[in-house]
């Protein structure tokens, strides 16, 4: 009997984190994106926005609307989103391709205006400065060993909020860290960890 929360075999026989087998969308995201390093201000801004939209919802809901989000928010290019007007805001509130949450839409625009004032690479540097030392993190063997927040995600949340960012709580910050490879929370036996090429 397989212990609860451990890596499970998929249709191809490869072991994966259990959530990565829930749907084909999750499998593709798990295998090719989640936990792999993401750099670049716009790329990290996109992930931060999507994680904020996910708050209170299933990640699958966001994943299946990701192209809609990208189209609606100018590819999450910070400089362009920062120039959004009231007309853009009303357009977003009427867009069925995204999650039409007024507070979250306002947060994306407000956060873009803040980030647009920073120098190139500043958002990237801020986010990655909170990556923990991998040597100090035990590799999780079960999903029960994967935290929801950490001291580093709490510190990242505080750093973003201090600069005026919204919808960047410690849980959202940790989800960002997981998604963008600041931490590797693939389970010990997961193929995404065991088959990953050496850097």
């Amino acid at each position: 009997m397989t212990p609860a929360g451990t890596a499970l075999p998929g249709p191809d026989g490869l072991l994966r984190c259990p959530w990565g087998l829930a749907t084909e969308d999750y499998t593709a995201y798990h295998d090719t994106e989640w936990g792999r390093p993401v750099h670049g201000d716009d790329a990290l801004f996109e992930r931060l926005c999507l994680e904020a939209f996910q708050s209170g919802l299933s990640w699958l809901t966001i994943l299946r609307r990701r192209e809609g989000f990208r189209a609606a928010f100018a590819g999450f290019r910070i400089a362009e989103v920062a120039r959004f007007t009231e007309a853009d805001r009303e357009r977003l509130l009427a867009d069925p391709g995204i999650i039409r949450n007024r507070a979250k839409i306002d947060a994306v625009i407000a956060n873009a205006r803040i980030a647009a004032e920073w120098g190139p690479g500043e958002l990237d540097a801020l986010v990655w400065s909170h990556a923990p030392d991998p040597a100090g993190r035990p590799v999780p063997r079960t999903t029960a060993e994967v935290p929801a927040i950490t001291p580093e995600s709490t510190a990242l949340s505080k750093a973003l909020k201090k600069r005026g960012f919204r919808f960047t709580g410690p849980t959202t910050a940790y989800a960002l860290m997981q998604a963008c490879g600041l931490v590797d929370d693939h389970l010990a036996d997961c193929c995404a960890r065991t088959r990953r090429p050496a850097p």
Side-chain angles (χ1 to χ4, degrees):
M1 181 176 176
T2 304
T6 56
L8 299 174
D12 55 7
L14 296 176
L15 294 173
R16 290 180 175 84
C17 303
W19 66 266
L21 295 170
T23 70
E24 290 183 4
D25 298 281
Y26 270 158
T27 302
Y29 177 68
H30 168 276
D31 287 3
T32 63
E33 293 189 59
W34 194 74
R36 298 194 179 197
V38 173
H39 282 283
D41 293 339
D42 290 343
L44 287 167
F45 179 70
E46 174 184 348
R47 301 310 202 286
L48 191 59
C49 293
L50 294 179
E51 294 295 350
F53 270 104
Q54 187 271 333
S55 180
L57 301 170
S58 161
W59 176 244
L60 188 61
T61 301
I62 305 303
L63 198 57
R64 288 178 171 170
R65 287 174 170 79
R66 184 158 59 168
E67 291 309 313
F69 274 108
R70 285 173 171 166
F73 284 99
F76 290 100
R77 291 181 290 276
I78 294 170
E80 293 187 38
V81 179
R83 292 193 293 267
F84 276 15
T85 63
E86 182 61 26
D88 288 304
R89 182 172 175 270
E90 294 305 314
R91 167 182 61 80
L92 292 165
L93 287 168
D95 191 335
I98 66 171
I99 305 300
R100 292 173 285 182
N101 180 295
R102 186 182 302 271
K104 293 176 181 179
I105 288 170
D106 287 348
V108 169
I109 298 172
N111 292 348
R113 289 173 179 165
I114 292 168
E117 297 297 318
W118 299 0
E122 195 168 344
L123 177 59
D124 187 299
L126 174 65
V127 170
W128 276 91
S129 72
H130 291 83
D133 179 1
R137 288 175 53 85
V139 176
R141 301 202 68 81
T142 71
T143 53
E145 297 173 15
V146 177
I149 62 172
T150 63
E152 293 86 3
S153 76
T154 300
L156 174 56
S157 171
K158 288 180 178 177
L160 289 167
K161 287 182 177 180
K162 184 176 180 180
R163 293 184 177 226
F165 271 62
R166 308 179 199 170
F167 277 94
T168 54
T171 302
T172 297
Y174 192 65
L176 174 77
M177 294 170 75
Q178 291 176 303
C180 296
L182 280 77
V183 297
D184 185 353
D185 277 343
H186 284 287
L187 301 183
D189 295 330
C190 175
C191 65
R193 180 184 288 274
T194 60
R195 291 162 59 94
R196 185 172 300 167

